Amino acid sequence: MASLDCPQCHHHLLEPIHYEGIEIDACMHCGGLWFDHNELDKVIRKYYPDYPREDTIIKTLGQEVDGTPKQCPHCKDSLKTYQFEQGSELKIDICQSYDGIWLEQGELDHAKRFYEKPSRFENISKKYEHWIFQFLFYLPVEFNLKPRNFPLITVILIVLNGLIFTGLFISLFRDPELPEKILYQWGLIPEEIGAFKWFVALLTHQFLHGGWGHLIGNMYFLYILGDNVEDAMGRIRFLLFYIFCGLVAAITHVGYELTLGVSANLPSIGASGAVSGVMAAYAYIFRKAKLTFMFVILQYKLAPVWYFSLWLGINVLLLIYGVQGVSWAAHIGGFIAGLVFSYFVYERILTNNPLIRYMNQGYPLKALYWEWL
């Protein structure tokens, strides 16, 4: 078989590779893939057994978009650019005389993910479940995309918080005063601002909790939301994001207590500020997800932007009324930090996660305030 020039690079040759057991041609320089007649259909059928097309991809394309300088590696005719499917953002290059398809790097993943939309929407729209659980605990149940990767950082954070709290709980039986000593040593005390211990506590206070309810509440929200946010951001970025939100929440708490509060001499503890940031990121990134809301004995499904707007509003009101015992300022600061961080990484997330982009297509965040179901 004659060597084929890369349609993208021109001066690099395509090399045969096996993908899902099907031989296709790839450019090792630019990462593009060339599919001969029906090869792309075979790849997608391997990935998605419930493939909805009765005809081939090349016969059921969306609108022709424009021309391209790329040439077919076989016949050297100019390729034409089409929408992958009507209404799809994905554009692919076609040689109609040879029935060949050229996908640039990353576009194959976009093409495969496109067909996950119906099943994902079905999962988000499924009927209410877990009524007894919600009636007893009034915690939300999440309906969203299944993460592509194991949420390693989320699991580590949950386990670490759990182990630290369990250790402190056990220490009560040996030395009843030890947990309080640890809280004052490693908790965040606003009036100690500027001291070395204060800077250390900006981080350490996030892994201490004051009771089982405090721990379980924070870890539950991290569990149901963190896996999706971590999957969207990537593990390293998610860890940096989590710490960033916790730090901003802590500084917000310190600023409030030193100016308007009455608890500047008391230690603040808990992951609530960081978890508040995770809530904000979830609402910003997963705009078509749903969370259940329990009102007495009735369940309602809300878009996360609605759910967490209600949550944020309650925090603001409790802060204004000066309700003690919880750092409402830290919750608000962490939430705002999560929104800001998510805003700056959102486009990158959509680029790396075509399914999220497809799901969010046509749904700006402000529009979801009017979408109850």
Side-chain angles (χ1 to χ4, degrees):
M1 179 178 177
S3 299
L4 302 177
D5 293 327
C6 172
Q8 180 84 12
C9 305
H10 302 298
H11 55 282
H12 287 89
L13 297 178
L14 299 177
E15 299 182 19
I17 63 170
H18 285 85
Y19 188 93
E20 303 287 351
I22 300 164
E23 185 175 292
I24 58 178
D25 299 297
C27 177
M28 300 304 171
H29 178 73
C30 70
L33 300 171
W34 176 260
F35 299 85
D36 286 327
H37 182 67
N38 289 348
E39 285 181 346
L40 181 56
D41 296 88
K42 295 176 182 178
V43 168
I44 292 182
R45 282 194 175 93
K46 286 271 189 178
Y47 173 78
Y48 188 68
D50 297 326
Y51 185 57
R53 293 177 182 268
E54 296 182 358
D55 213 333
T56 62
I57 288 173
I58 207 163
K59 292 183 179 180
T60 54
L61 294 169
Q63 294 180 343
E64 181 177 351
V65 181
D66 49 37
T68 173
K70 303 183 186 77
Q71 292 182 335
C72 172
H74 289 282
C75 65
K76 305 304 179 184
D77 285 349
S78 295
L79 301 179
K80 292 186 178 181
T81 305
Y82 287 81
Q83 290 179 335
F84 175 68
E85 187 163 292
Q86 193 70 33
S88 168
E89 290 181 352
L90 176 61
K91 299 175 183 178
I92 60 177
D93 300 308
I94 305 296
C95 174
Q96 291 181 317
S97 60
Y98 195 81
D99 280 355
I101 298 176
W102 172 253
L103 297 182
E104 296 180 7
Q105 186 175 23
E107 289 182 336
L108 176 59
D109 188 46
H110 288 217
K112 293 191 299 183
R113 296 287 175 183
F114 186 86
Y115 291 112
E116 288 190 48
K117 285 199 302 180
S119 61
R120 297 309 189 188
F121 274 119
E122 181 180 351
N123 180 61
I124 291 172
S125 302
K126 66 182 181 181
K127 294 182 179 180
Y128 301 133
E129 297 177 356
H130 314 291
W131 185 91
I132 295 178
F133 169 81
Q134 285 206 288
F135 179 73
L136 293 175
F137 299 102
Y138 275 77
L139 292 171
V141 176
E142 177 216 20
F143 299 84
N144 198 358
L145 311 177
K146 183 179 180 181
R148 299 169 300 174
N149 302 303
F150 179 76
L152 179 63
I153 301 301
T154 299
V155 170
I156 289 175
L157 289 170
I158 293 173
V159 170
L160 183 59
N161 277 277
L163 288 176
I164 291 173
F165 180 82
T166 302
L168 289 176
F169 181 76
I170 293 174
S171 71
L172 276 171
F173 299 98
R174 299 178 179 178
D175 182 357
E177 296 182 357
L178 181 60
E180 184 176 355
K181 293 177 182 178
I182 292 177
L183 295 184
Y184 273 89
Q185 177 64 35
W186 302 107
L188 181 66
I189 302 176
E191 67 179 14
E192 294 181 349
I193 185 172
F196 176 76
K197 172 178 173 292
W198 181 85
F199 284 105
V200 174
L202 285 174
L203 179 63
T204 57
H205 85 283
Q206 300 180 40
F207 296 92
L208 300 173
H209 290 83
W212 286 108
H214 189 201
L215 173 72
I216 293 172
N218 280 335
M219 294 303 101
Y220 179 78
F221 276 97
L222 181 57
Y223 168 73
I224 67 168
L225 308 178
D227 58 346
N228 287 107
V229 177
E230 178 182 341
D231 190 58
M233 291 186 177
R235 288 170 177 166
I236 301 301
R237 187 175 289 109
F238 175 73
L239 179 60
L240 295 175
F241 159 79
Y242 183 89
I243 295 172
F244 168 75
C245 291
L247 293 176
V248 172
I251 294 171
T252 305
H253 167 75
V254 170
Y256 174 79
E257 290 298 336
L258 292 178
T259 55
L260 301 173
V262 295
S263 305
N265 61 333
L266 297 178
S268 173
I269 57 174
S272 304
V275 174
S276 297
V278 175
M279 294 176 180
Y282 186 90
Y284 195 93
I285 297 168
F286 296 98
R287 305 181 179 188
K288 291 299 293 178
K290 298 293 181 184
L291 292 168
T292 53
F293 175 79
M294 195 76 174
F295 182 73
V296 189
I297 61 171
L298 300 177
Q299 281 182 319
Y300 298 94
K301 264 187 181 178
L302 296 177
V305 66
W306 258 116
Y307 187 94
F308 292 119
S309 291
L310 292 171
W311 175 88
L312 183 64
I314 292 172
N315 278 263
V316 171
L317 288 175
L318 293 174
L319 178 67
I320 293 173
Y321 281 102
V323 178
Q324 300 298 306
V326 175
S327 180
W328 312 111
H331 292 181
I332 297 168
F335 193 88
I336 294 173
L339 284 180
V340 172
F341 193 101
S342 300
Y343 172 80
F344 284 105
V345 301
Y346 184 64
E347 291 301 324
R348 180 187 292 270
I349 288 173
L350 295 189
T351 299
N352 296 332
N353 297 268
L355 184 56
I356 298 176
R357 188 178 74 247
Y358 287 140
M359 299 288 283
N360 289 357
Q361 187 175 0
Y363 291 92
L365 193 61
K366 60 183 180 181
L368 291 182
Y369 277 103
W370 309 110
E371 187 173 307
W372 285 84
L373 295 174

